[in-house]
Amino acid sequence: MKQFYVYIHKKPDGNPFYVGKGCGNRAYQFSKRTQWHKNIVDKYGRNNIIIEIVNCVNESQAFDLEKIYIKQFKHGGVCLVNLTDGGEGHSGFRQSQETKSKRSEKLKQFYASDAGQN
């Protein structure tokens, strides 16, 4: 039986930037990520990214917990690179041009605010 979990990728200062649902070694794979995610990893270095794991009873619980974490972080003002609110995975996910434009604008704001923190 697969062990599902929720994982949180954090910057070296402990601030989360991504929440995901996975099993196996998904939390430790850094391929097949958005460019935004890759940029953060490149900025801080793969070995400096903190990975927090929360084991779940089943996949359904993992999806629910993923949504809860994303909602709580965003409500608390944390800028996550997640493209969705979680709970559905990205199989076959295709972004509209409008979504791509919004994401681009959000990236610009993120990098402007992140640059001021260093």
Side-chain angles (χ1 to χ4, degrees):
M1 182 174 204
K2 289 184 178 180
Q3 173 64 58
F4 290 95
Y5 55 81
V6 171
Y7 61 97
I8 305 166
H9 287 169
K10 298 179 177 182
K11 297 175 185 176
D13 64 4
N15 285 319
F17 67 91
Y18 182 79
V19 177
K21 187 266 323 174
C23 66
N25 67 347
R26 177 61 179 143
Y28 303 93
Q29 294 175 339
F30 285 80
S31 62
K32 297 185 182 178
R33 303 288 182 171
T34 65
Q35 191 59 49
W36 191 3
H37 187 282
K38 290 176 185 177
N39 289 345
I40 292 172
V41 173
D42 288 347
K43 178 178 180 175
Y44 295 103
R46 164 62 190 95
N47 293 331
N48 296 314
I49 300 301
I50 300 165
I51 301 171
E52 183 179 321
I53 303 284
V54 180
N55 287 316
C56 297
V57 175
N58 55 38
E59 187 174 28
S60 178
Q61 182 189 45
F63 277 131
D64 290 343
L65 190 57
E66 178 190 32
K67 288 189 285 190
I68 290 167
Y69 273 114
I70 290 171
K71 185 176 183 176
Q72 286 180 338
F73 284 138
K74 286 184 176 181
H75 182 71
V78 175
C79 184
L80 297 176
V81 302
N82 292 74
L83 300 177
T84 70
D85 291 329
E88 72 286 314
H90 290 100
S91 299
F93 180 76
R94 295 205 184 261
Q95 294 179 23
S96 68
Q97 189 57 46
E98 179 184 6
T99 300
K100 288 178 184 179
S101 296
K102 286 180 182 178
R103 191 176 103 219
S104 175
E105 199 54 43
K106 190 172 183 179
L107 277 170
K108 290 175 190 172
Q109 292 171 3
F110 171 78
Y111 282 114
S113 67
D114 197 43
Q117 294 178 12
N118 291 324

